[in-house]
Amino acid sequence: MTTDLAEAERRRAARRRRLQQRQTLIFGILITALLAVLLVSAAVWGRVIPSPFARPFSSPEPTDAASASVPCPPANALPAPFGEITANVYNATDQSGLAARTAGGLAQYGIVISQEANYGGSFEGVANIVSGARGLQAAYTVAQLIPGSTVTLDGREDATIDVVLGGAFSEIPEPESNPVDPEEPLAPPPGCTPVTVPSDDPVDEAADEEAAED
């Protein structure tokens, strides 16, 4: 009897050892796999290795039709009289006081300054002069005072222009060295796009439309 009890106890102990060994092996595999997943995830998150699910983003090369076009000045237009130009001056650089100094330089020509402020972004060029269709004559006139500047078109209805000063801007020339010839028509830049300029004031135009409806 004693021998049978001892044998049964020995067998139970052997089963427990095998069960513990099996559990240890299974948990060891699971923990190792979990650590491997965590290590790979950390490497992907830290961009040490590329994600297997990431696809490179690609965009088609811009075509001429999709590229922003430069507006032409009005055909055969002469420079606008400085006193009839109203401009906003914006500083798109980290130079303190640039808008105020430039506004002062433009004001010496008689240009009316509406406001001067910092720009909500950066611009690396010389200057970007923004206008609506009615302000293109004024924009190209001011562009002659700022060699290397560009003119772009937006949807504003009035003739006010924005002068956005970039990192390559230096200064407005003194009036004594005025580069604008009032008798020389504004030259269109190569490849510019003609723009139809409304012939009358927006208020008058709206009145005409109301009269036509009546």
Side-chain angles (χ1 to χ4, degrees), residues 89 91 93-108 113 116 165 169-172 174:
V89 183
N91 180 8
T93 76
D94 56 3
Q95 299 181 48
S96 178
L98 183 62
R101 292 197 303 273
T102 304
L106 293 173
Q108 292 185 70
I113 304 301
E116 53 192 63
L165 306 173
F169 175 80
S170 56
E171 61 182 7
I172 298 294
E174 294 295 328

Side-chain angles (χ1 to χ4, degrees), residues 11-30:
R11 290 178 179 177
R12 284 195 295 270
R15 284 198 299 271
R16 284 196 296 269
R17 285 196 300 272
R18 288 196 296 270
L19 179 60
Q20 290 173 350
Q21 290 172 352
R22 188 178 301 112
Q23 290 174 341
T24 300
L25 178 61
I26 292 173
F27 284 118
I29 293 173
L30 291 175

Side-chain angles (χ1 to χ4, degrees), residues 79-92:
F82 290 124
E84 298 179 4
I85 299 175
T86 300
N88 303 311
V89 183
Y90 298 112
N91 180 8

Side-chain angles (χ1 to χ4, degrees), residues 141-190:
T141 301
V142 173
Q144 292 187 354
L145 298 176
I146 311 175
S149 60
T150 57
V151 174
T152 57
L153 185 71
D154 68 3
R156 71 187 66 187
E157 294 290 337
D158 62 12
T160 302
I161 65 172
D162 294 343
V163 180
V164 182
L165 306 173
F169 175 80
S170 56
E171 61 182 7
I172 298 294
E174 294 295 328
E176 293 76 15
S177 58
N178 180 7
V180 178
D181 183 353
E183 302 301 324
E184 181 70 23
L186 298 170

